[in-house]
Amino acid sequence: MSNTSTSRSSCWLLQPRQLNNICIVFAELIATAMLMFLGCMGCIENSFFSNSNFQSALNFGFVVLICIQCFGCVCGAHLNPAVTLANYIYNMISLPMAISYFVAQMVGAFIGYGLLKAVMPESAIYSSSTSSGVCVTSLHSSLTGLQGVVIEFLITSALIAICCGVWDPRNAKNQDSVPVRFGLAIACLSLTAGQFTGASMNPARSFAPAIWNGAWENHWIYWVGPLAGALVSSLIYKYAFRREVQAQEEQESTMSTKRTSELEFA
């Protein structure tokens, strides 16, 4: 009898953790769907709606800001398999959760772009400037595949370096402006490389428009470049730059803050 009650109590103890994991994965799915729906809506361009690389880049930056502000406290709002890979390398997430994040991101991106196609007229999705479909990442005709993958590698490396800087234990107290930082970073990188490769930096962001529109030309670039960039950048930052905050440093910082407060009240 006691063994049965112990087993039942163990199940009840595990339940909150399981529910929390489900909540985290579901939040990541919604956040990625928001990224695709709002981000790609801001890229629509046809004879009725004017657009530019500047507007699209700024829009995606603001959308990332919104997603992180809404769901960052729930799931971290990775929105991107490359970010999840870096998070795993940084030992901040387990392998099963990393896989769950990946699935949530791919499904969320698929749903978000599908919702966009459902609510927008066909003339908004396909136009003279977006013949393959709005938000489909494509390589500029003057670039080779190798050049495209190097660009995606480099801009994703920059994005992941920002992530690693935010995750650095020494930066733990400076988290208030994280959504703004990432939003501006995405806008900057999109402005820089958007005209050349679409500045994807995100396999899920490229996969959803590709599968909905059947546009697979040079699609491999948007997997190889971002994932390789995330792998290299996170490993370099982890082993070359990351430092753990020592207990003594934390104590000295606390004492310094306390002394400052005492002087202010004196």
Side-chain angles (χ1 to χ4, degrees), residues 8-24:
R8 287 178 179 175
S9 63
S10 299
C11 290
W12 281 107
L13 286 172
L14 287 173
Q15 190 176 15
R17 179 183 296 178
Q18 293 168 345
L19 290 174
N20 185 53
N21 288 340
I22 292 171
C23 175
I24 289 171

Side-chain angles (χ1 to χ4, degrees), residues 2 4 20-21 63 98 134 143 156 229-230 252 254 264:
S2 60
T4 304
N20 185 53
N21 288 340
V63 170
V134 67
L143 298 177
T156 307
E252 288 176 356
T254 303
E264 289 177 351

Side-chain angles (χ1 to χ4, degrees), residues 35 57-62 64-65 68 80 159 162 180-192 199-201:
L35 172 74
L58 202 60
N59 171 71
F60 255 106
F62 285 150
V64 168
L65 186 158
I68 295 175
N80 184 343
L159 174 64
I162 296 168
V180 177
R181 293 183 218 172
F182 277 108
L184 292 175
I186 292 295
C188 172
L189 293 169
S190 298
L191 281 168
T192 303
S200 174
M201 301 172 278

Side-chain angles (χ1 to χ4, degrees), residues 111-248:
I111 291 172
Y113 192 86
L115 184 59
L116 179 70
K117 291 198 71 172
V119 301
M120 286 288 124
E122 187 172 342
S123 61
I125 304 298
Y126 304 102
S127 67
S128 58
S129 56
T130 57
S131 57
S132 297
V134 67
C135 227
V136 171
T137 47
S138 59
L139 189 65
H140 193 274
S141 58
S142 64
L143 298 177
T144 65
L146 179 59
Q147 289 171 322
V149 80
V150 170
I151 290 172
E152 283 292 323
F153 173 87
L154 292 174
I155 60 176
T156 307
S157 296
L159 174 64
I160 298 304
I162 296 168
C163 294
C164 292
V166 170
W167 299 331
D168 194 301
R170 293 167 294 184
N171 208 22
K173 297 179 182 178
N174 305 312
Q175 301 293 315
D176 291 345
S177 61
V178 165
V180 177
R181 293 183 218 172
F182 277 108
L184 292 175
I186 292 295
C188 172
L189 293 169
S190 298
L191 281 168
T192 303
Q195 298 178 89
F196 304 108
T197 65
S200 174
M201 301 172 278
N202 183 343
R205 175 253 182 275
S206 291
F207 177 76
I211 195 171
W212 273 103
N213 297 295
W216 300 105
E217 186 178 3
N218 293 314
H219 184 71
W220 64 274
I221 289 172
Y222 304 103
W223 286 87
V224 175
L227 292 178
L231 178 66
V232 172
S233 186
S234 58
L235 285 172
I236 290 174
Y237 198 103
K238 178 181 179 181
Y239 292 108
F241 304 120
R242 176 175 172 167
R243 298 291 183 273
E244 297 297 332
V245 177
Q246 301 298 324
Q248 184 178 354

